[in-house]
Amino acid sequence: MSVTPSLVADLVGVAVFAASGASAGVVKRLDLFGVVFVGAVAALGGGIIRDLLIGAVPPYAFTHWEYLVVAVLAALLLFWLHPQFNRLRRTVLVLDAAGLGLFTVTGTLKALDAHVPAVGACVIGMISGIGGGLGRDLLTGEIPVVLRREIYAVASLLGAGVVTALARVHLNRPLLITGTALLIFVVRLLALRRN
Amino acid sequence: MSVTPSLVADLVGVAVFAASGASAGVVKRLDLFGVVFVGAVAALGGGIIRDLLIGAVPPYAFTHWEYLVVAVLAALLLFWLHPQFNRLRRTVLVLDAAGLGLFTVTGTLKALDAHVPAVGACVIGMISGIGGGLGRDLLTGEIPVVLRREIYAVASLLGAGVVTALARVHLNRPLLITGTALLIFVVRLLALRRN
Amino acid sequence: MSVTPSLVADLVGVAVFAASGASAGVVKRLDLFGVVFVGAVAALGGGIIRDLLIGAVPPYAFTHWEYLVVAVLAALLLFWLHPQFNRLRRTVLVLDAAGLGLFTVTGTLKALDAHVPAVGACVIGMISGIGGGLGRDLLTGEIPVVLRREIYAVASLLGAGVVTALARVHLNRPLLITGTALLIFVVRLLALRRN
């Protein structure tokens, strides 16, 4: 497996979403395995749904063990290193925003590469971004975050639209990924700060 | 894309299920995006699961933007036009019954066309019919409607069985779709009235 | 369809998981259809997810009616024959442990046969084992069992690892399936007894 910009962005997204899921598990006072499990679902769930939707089976997360290892390590790190419960809630939200940006962008690009039309690719990008968090929330019995905060999936959709438009211009890929992921991240953080 | 009877029935089903999901979101007092999101899940969820099960990927809803547009518009319309909360609960149930009929029939036919054997095609038809509502209920934290009301999935299964039997007789398709969808709709409404 | 050791183990797993799901439905005082529905989800859910992940569509449960019939019959039997509610809770746990062992082993083997790499095959085996129970718990509004009991998914993963290691030695298949399924069953029962 060659190290592409898309792979690096994907693995960073896996790590931050795993930490986000693990934080949610810690907040719910789950034991070690529960924390790692929710972390792995949050980290890999969106990408697995994406791969099922574009017919890329077995999904990437099952054919490349690096994904699972990164997810488990990030969840374990969070479990052992987390300082206090109070500060965690904010950490979850920031990590979640970063994962949202990265997964939306790589998901949209994978859908476009699989020849999904523009509108569908944007939605698949959004699902890649919000799918893991949705699984995390369903598992921990929370009302899904996407239903409660208007500028969550909307930030993801906006970014997916920008990716789809710019992908046609054949922009430099690392630049495209970094820029649009950052855009989603910032929009999401601004929405968080406003509340 | 050519306008077939199956497509028209499918899009009508999308619209009524989107309105059903949106009503559920309004009842739960979700904001605009939440209402549209639950509407889209209710409208497209059953068909997406159906397409994954018969290996038709990317699912139709992602390759034909009309589906998403119809779902979003129907959800928006319901959000803006709904009169009072009291009357909505009944509207949800009637729209839901119509969507159940239409999606069961088109889902069963798609499974049969994909050479799924009779029993499996009936179950896939039922899943097409109940899948969106199941997603809607899980997202809004309700006990799924299919577990509470005996004549819901049973009405869907009954209709799927009739479709499977009649599909072998090579009946006129528009007639077959309309007739069996209506059968499920009526059985479901009678069950509602009995309670 | 020829009667292979893998098929027999799969159908026994379907029956015990269906009974496990049906017991959960009885405990929740669902009506007949609800009990059968939860039983079928518990029995077939893990295998359907497994088949979607390895690209074996339509999933086996939809192309071989024996699966659905065994699931429905087992759920009906439990519904009619269950003695008292008190004794049921223990029965659910024991049946669940047996299903966990059988589904993990057959799921791991199917993933390996579909050329999924070792780590991914173990995870798919675990998902085959825990997927049905996860669906059962989500449907009945329970916190998933896999998040609450540390030695549940871990027992499944352990067994999947042993299967993966032994599959390379080309051991006798019926022996391999029986032995490792029994290993998971015993580990799970010991964990239950310790609590």
Side-chain angles (χ1 to χ4, degrees), chain B residues 52-53 55 116-117 119-120 123-124 127 130 138 144 146-148 150 153-154, chain C residues 30-34 37-38 48 52 57-59 62-63 65 68 138-140:
Chain B
L52 287 177
L53 290 174
V116 179
V119 173
V123 178
I124 289 178
I127 292 174
I130 70 176
L138 288 177
V146 291
L147 296 182
R148 286 176 295 168
E150 212 173 305
V154 167
Chain C
L30 299 181
D31 59 25
L32 178 62
F33 182 81
F37 190 84
V38 177
I48 290 171
L52 287 176
V57 287
F62 293 101
T63 51
W65 54 267
L68 189 70
L138 287 178
L139 281 178
T140 55

Side-chain angles (χ1 to χ4, degrees), chain A residues 106-120:
Chain A
T106 55
T108 309
L109 287 173
K110 284 201 180 184
L112 288 171
D113 290 348
H115 306 292
V116 179
V119 173

